[in-house]
Structure formats: structure tokens, C-alpha cells
Amino acid sequence: MTDEKTVELLLPYRDKGDRLVRVFVPPHDEGETLPVIYMTDGQNLFDDDNVRFGCWYTREAVKAERENTGKAAIIVGIHNDGPPWERANELMPKSIGELMLPPEMPEEARKMVSPEGEEFDDFIINTVMPAVEARFPVKKGRESTAFCGSSSGGVQSFYTALTHPDLFGAAGVFSPCFMLFKPEDLAGWIFKSLREKMPYLYLYSGAGDDMEKMIYQCMEGVYDILSECYPPQSLNEVVLLENKHHEDAWAEIFKDFLHTFLSVEL
């Protein structure tokens, strides 16, 4: 049995220099390959000095899952730890539709809005995934590959998984900021993205604060759209009304997403 390890990679991200990507590999047998979950906000996934807003404790979740079920996954955390506006731009695809900015948003702030989710998606697919698969004992194939994120990262997870159903078998879409798009734009994009084989969608929201209440209402609308066109066996909605828009909630729900990803047939 090999020891667990967390490895730091610096990978080139467009014209912005190198981006920190951290990879957690749990203990595993020699020669064993493991499923992999690619995740946004790597700065909040591991319990160390880099945590700013709270921790998901993904390493602990993986080790507990291994102890309870014998199954485990490699966690790949891509950092999005720039200024809030930069993170929001990175994790917001413009091809879904025009963003609906609040009318009270100052003009200077509006000028900083420049969605770049497609570029982040390209970074994941063409830089991060090849580097991880070349260096770590990753089990390849869509059935063993998932994407997960929260807030604007939840939107990015939704976008990347539906854009690449041949690469991702599951997506953790936590507290997604769908309210930034017009419902008709979201519906149109979803219908255009449908393929014969679609990823398992784990949609989660709380409703314990104003932000999560808004997210919950919009996610319900998206779920209604998906219910009309998406394979029902690949659609799962979880709502915990008391939960707030915070890492503590996402840490708890991640445990169930991890277990689900490792258990369901994709």
C-alpha cells in the first residue's frame, strides 16, 4: 500500500503565467488506478494554510469513503484564488448567454465583467487533464471522471460536464449561480448541449441565507427544464433548506457527492 500524498503542480494558464493545481492521491495498492474528480477553488479544498473562507476537507472525505466502502478517488484542485471579480470571470462561460447584471451595479464594476469560462474549460481539458493523467494513477474514461464546483464554480462544473459528456461521467453542481443568466438562454443552451450519453448531474442548493434562497429558486427552474429533456436516471437534486452559501455546507454535501460518484453506474 502506497502512502497518501498531495502534490503541487504549476501549469501554464493562458497569458496569466503558471496556475497552481494540487493533486491529492490517497493510499492505494501498487498498480491500482483510481477515479478522479477535477474541482474548482483548489485553495479551499484542503485543510492547510491556504484556506481563506473555509475548507471542504476533501482529503478526509476520501479517506473516510475508503474506510467505509473500500472506494476512493484522486482529487485535483485548480486554484481560483485571485480577486473575487477575477474568479467570477474565470468561472462564468459567456456562451450560455448574456449575463444579467444587477441594475445597481456601479459602472466601474460592470467594466470588470468579462466572462472567460470557455478559457478555463480549455485549461482543464487540454492542460490539467493531460498533466494529471501522465503523472498520477488515474483511471481513465468518462465513467471514472467527474467535475465539481460551487457558486460560480458550480456553473463552470455544469458547463464543462455538459460540453464534454465524452470526458465526464458526473458533475457536482453545488449552489450554482444560474440567476446570472436568462432562463430562456439557459434552456436554449441545455437543449443544444444534449447528446446520446450525458453525465450524471448532482444538483445541490441550500436556502439558509439570501444568496442561497435566490440560488435555490433559480436551480429549481433549471431542474424543471432538465426534467423535460434529461435522462431521469442521470438527474439528482438535493436541497437542504437550512444550509447557507458557505464552504461548511459544501464540505458536507461533497461527502455524499463523492459516495454517489463512486457508487452509481455512469
Side-chain angles (χ1 to χ4, degrees):
M1 179 75 73
T2 65
D3 293 333
E4 68 176 74
K5 60 182 179 180
T6 303
V7 179
E8 294 189 354
L9 305 177
L10 289 175
L11 300 176
Y13 183 69
R14 300 176 57 215
D15 57 352
K16 297 182 178 180
D18 290 337
R19 178 62 57 92
L20 179 60
V21 176
R22 288 189 291 171
V23 182
F24 170 64
V25 183
H28 59 284
D29 293 331
E30 196 69 40
E32 180 185 11
T33 56
L34 299 170
V36 57
I37 305 177
Y38 295 89
M39 303 182 67
T40 66
D41 294 301
Q43 70 278 3
N44 297 328
L45 302 182
F46 307 106
D47 183 21
D48 58 25
D49 293 339
N50 290 314
V51 172
R52 293 167 57 186
F53 302 109
C55 184
W56 289 44
Y57 298 103
T58 56
R59 287 185 288 219
E60 289 77 5
V62 170
K63 288 184 280 188
E65 183 69 22
R66 173 71 105 178
E67 183 175 339
N68 293 333
T69 68
K71 298 179 180 179
I74 291 172
I75 303 296
V76 180
I78 300 94
H79 277 229
N80 303 100
D81 50 357
W85 61 266
E86 185 177 279
R87 175 188 176 275
N89 282 337
E90 284 183 353
L91 302 176
M92 197 59 62
K94 61 184 175 183
S95 57
I96 292 178
E98 184 179 353
L99 294 186
M100 294 196 303
L101 303 177
E104 67 274 13
M105 188 175 187
E107 186 60 31
E108 285 304 309
R110 288 174 178 271
K111 292 179 181 178
M112 300 173 74
V113 176
S114 178
E116 302 170 353
E118 288 80 5
E119 287 81 0
F120 188 79
D121 176 83
D122 180 75
F123 176 62
I124 295 295
I125 302 303
N126 294 312
T127 301
V128 177
M129 291 181 71
V132 169
E133 291 179 354
R135 294 189 54 173
F136 301 98
V138 169
K139 185 177 292 185
K140 299 178 183 179
R142 68 179 301 278
E143 296 82 4
S144 302
T145 310
F147 200 105
C148 184
S150 64
S151 196
S152 54
V155 175
Q156 186 67 43
S157 175
F158 184 74
Y159 172 83
T160 291
L162 265 64
T163 301
H164 307 281
D166 55 324
L167 299 179
F168 296 95
V173 183
F174 298 173
S175 304
C177 294
F178 288 141
M179 66 280 194
L180 293 175
F181 299 99
K182 295 178 181 178
E184 57 268 29
D185 286 348
L186 266 168
W189 184 83
I190 289 170
F191 280 107
K192 285 194 305 183
S193 301
L194 294 176
R195 301 291 185 272
E196 183 177 352
K197 190 79 169 177
M198 296 302 291
Y200 183 96
L201 292 179
Y202 187 111
L203 299 166
Y204 158 78
S205 173
D209 56 26
D210 289 343
M211 182 70 161
E212 282 294 294
K213 287 176 183 176
M214 188 184 311
I215 285 171
Y216 164 61
Q217 292 171 355
C218 294
M219 194 180 80
E220 285 290 283
V222 172
Y223 183 79
D224 288 343
I225 294 168
L226 291 167
S227 297
E228 297 177 6
C229 63
Y230 211 79
Q233 71 276 11
S234 298
L235 192 56
N236 181 16
E237 182 188 39
V238 178
V239 176
L240 298 177
L241 296 175
E242 70 277 12
N243 282 4
K244 298 181 179 180
H245 195 76
H246 192 270
E247 277 73 16
D248 289 346
W250 302 324
E252 280 302 310
I253 206 67
F254 175 75
K255 297 174 187 177
D256 188 56
F257 170 70
L258 171 68
H259 177 74
T260 303
F261 165 56
L262 295 176
S263 302
V264 300
E265 184 176 341
L266 303 174

